[in-house]
Amino acid sequence: MTRFVTFEGIEGCGKTTQIRLAAAWLAERGIPVLATAEPGGTPLGRKIREVLLKRGSFAIGAEAELLLFAAARAQHVRQAILPALRAGQWVLCDRFADATLAYQGFGRGLDAGFIRTLNDFSALSLSPDRTLLFDLPVEAGLARAEKRTAGVWAEAAEDRFEREDKAFHGRIRDGYLNLAAGEPERFRIIDGAADVETVHREVCLRLAELL
Ligand code: Z5A
């Protein structure tokens, strides 16, 4: 049986590290897997990612930002995620529709009802079988992100979201926890503050529930 599992959390929560380890863990068990990410996962998605994340000389308002994430998802679902699921692969996705609710809804203050409608339209109503939420204090996540970019020329290192203040990232964390409380059967909250190996063991337990 194929599974669609999404990895979510605030900046620096460790989901990208964990998705890599999880994909290898599944592959070792002979399970075909596609590890992918949003925005990204297709040539169009990667172009949109560049526009959205790189600091540019042009402004991107909250509404335009929302529509760009939705456009990247529309292409990603049709071109990569659904074909992989139909081909019998598990799909592990680094961020998906919950990120739009957390960032553009809770973070930017755009209307959650409209975002849900747009998410359904862009994702053909595809919903994850399981969502792993890596939760940790904002300070800890931002410190990791800062450490990662230390020594890199600041203009090139920080993306548009990393420049947001702590309150913004706090709203994202609260937003994710709120989404998880609303759908406890889909979400699993994992302590993202633990060391990489401990978090990986917890991820494996959660994936094993789906085997
Ligand atoms: N966004 C949005 O607004 N709306 C949407 O609909 C979507 C996205 C889909 C890009 O996402 C931005 O897009 C994102 C939200 C927005 N902006 N923010 N914030 P992204 O997922 O590509 O970017 P990111 O959130 O910055 O994730 P990241 O850079 O990939 O970081 P991560 O996945 O949270 O963590 P990591 O790369 O695995 O780890 C970060 C560092 O910590 C790294 O140096 C690791 O070695 C280290 N690390 C990882 N795990 C640990 C543990 N357990 N202990 C200690 N250190 C660790």
Side-chain angles (χ1 to χ4, degrees):
M1 185 193 287
T2 64
R3 296 294 191 179
F4 178 37
V5 183
T6 55
F7 289 51
E8 298 277 3
I10 61 165
E11 173 91 37
C13 69
K15 61 191 168 40
T16 306
T17 303
Q18 292 301 327
I19 212 167
R20 205 168 10 87
L21 296 171
W25 187 83
L26 287 172
E28 277 164 23
R29 276 149 191 80
I31 295 167
V33 57
L34 170 72
T36 186
E38 288 203 358
T42 65
L44 176 66
R46 284 186 282 276
K47 285 276 178 210
I48 291 176
R49 183 182 183 88
E50 254 181 66
V51 169
L52 278 168
L53 298 194
K54 281 205 178 153
R55 294 209 227 173
S57 53
F58 52 89
I60 303 178
E63 295 78 8
E65 182 183 270
L66 169 66
L67 295 170
L68 286 166
F69 279 116
R73 180 160 311 124
Q75 193 66 27
H76 193 205
V77 166
R78 288 159 182 78
Q79 189 179 340
I81 297 177
L82 284 177
L85 291 171
R86 287 182 186 131
Q89 288 180 287
W90 280 44
V91 175
L92 307 183
C93 192
D94 192 336
R95 297 198 186 282
F96 194 64
D98 295 306
T100 317
L101 281 163
Y103 280 82
Q104 282 64 53
F106 287 90
R108 303 278 193 226
L110 296 181
D111 181 70
F114 177 68
I115 295 175
R116 285 185 189 276
T117 302
L118 186 63
N119 277 349
D120 281 347
F121 172 75
S122 53
L124 291 168
S125 297
L126 177 70
S127 175
D129 297 302
R130 186 64 33 98
T131 296
L132 305 182
L133 173 58
F134 298 88
D135 182 54
L136 82 174
V138 166
E139 295 75 13
L142 293 181
R144 281 185 194 167
E146 244 169 57
K147 200 167 152 197
R148 182 185 47 192
T149 52
V152 182
W153 174 49
E155 290 290 315
E158 272 191 331
D159 68 35
R160 283 178 56 248
F161 291 91
E162 283 166 19
R163 289 165 65 211
E164 294 290 344
D165 62 19
K166 220 184 264 182
F168 175 81
H169 293 283
R171 289 198 298 279
I172 309 302
R173 184 187 186 198
D174 292 346
Y176 270 126
L177 290 172
N178 186 294
L179 293 172
E183 284 185 76
E185 64 297 336
R186 173 162 70 87
F187 276 89
R188 295 291 179 272
I189 300 176
I190 292 179
D191 177 14
D195 63 82
V196 172
E197 195 43 48
T198 305
V199 179
H200 175 55
R201 277 200 299 275
E202 182 72 18
V203 170
C204 295
L205 286 176
R206 298 319 187 175
L207 294 179
E209 292 171 359
L210 299 170
L211 288 172

